[in-house]
């Protein structure tokens, strides 16, 4: 008799959500821009706070997007 592990089902479900989550190019461009600002902050320390702010705002935007998409069963419904 094989016992089914509940955590494996949770992992599978969370992996399905992650696989369906698509990050647009703008997210990667903003991450690259933040990396450049972090590099500039080595020479100009005042840029460090700007780079951290960029990362925090981008993270908040991605979390809000994820909550809107996956928060409720039928929060956003679209057909092609």
């Amino acid at each position: 008799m094989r016992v089914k592990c509940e955590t494996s089902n949770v992992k599978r479900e969370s992996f399905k959500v992650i696989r369906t989550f698509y990050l647009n190019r703008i997210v990667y461009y903003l991450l690259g821009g933040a990396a450049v600002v972090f590099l500039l902050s080595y020479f100009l320390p005042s840029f460090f706070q700007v780079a951290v702010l960029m990362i925090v705002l981008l993270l908040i935007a991605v979390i809000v997007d994820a909550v809107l998409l996956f928060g409720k069963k039928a929060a956003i419904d679209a057909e092609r």
Side-chain angles (χ1 to χ4, degrees):
M1 182 175 168
R2 188 171 182 179
V3 177
K4 199 169 191 181
C5 182
E6 292 297 323
T7 57
S8 65
N9 287 338
V10 172
K11 287 180 183 178
R12 259 190 228 121
E13 290 299 319
S14 62
F15 187 68
K16 284 181 184 178
V17 169
I18 291 171
R19 271 191 20 205
T20 60
F21 197 71
Y22 174 74
L23 295 177
N24 200 346
R25 283 187 187 181
I26 191 77
V27 174
Y28 297 110
Y29 290 150
L30 290 173
L31 282 174
V36 170
V37 175
F38 270 119
L39 288 174
L40 289 174
S41 74
Y42 182 74
F43 303 106
L44 301 168
S46 61
F47 278 1
F48 183 77
Q49 293 175 347
V50 173
V52 170
L53 182 66
M54 287 174 67
I55 295 291
V56 168
L57 291 176
L58 183 63
L59 184 64
I60 290 171
V62 169
I63 289 171
V64 166
D65 188 34
V67 167
L68 286 175
L69 286 174
F70 302 112
K72 292 184 179 178
K73 210 56 159 156
I76 297 176
D77 188 27
E79 290 184 29
R80 196 174 227 195

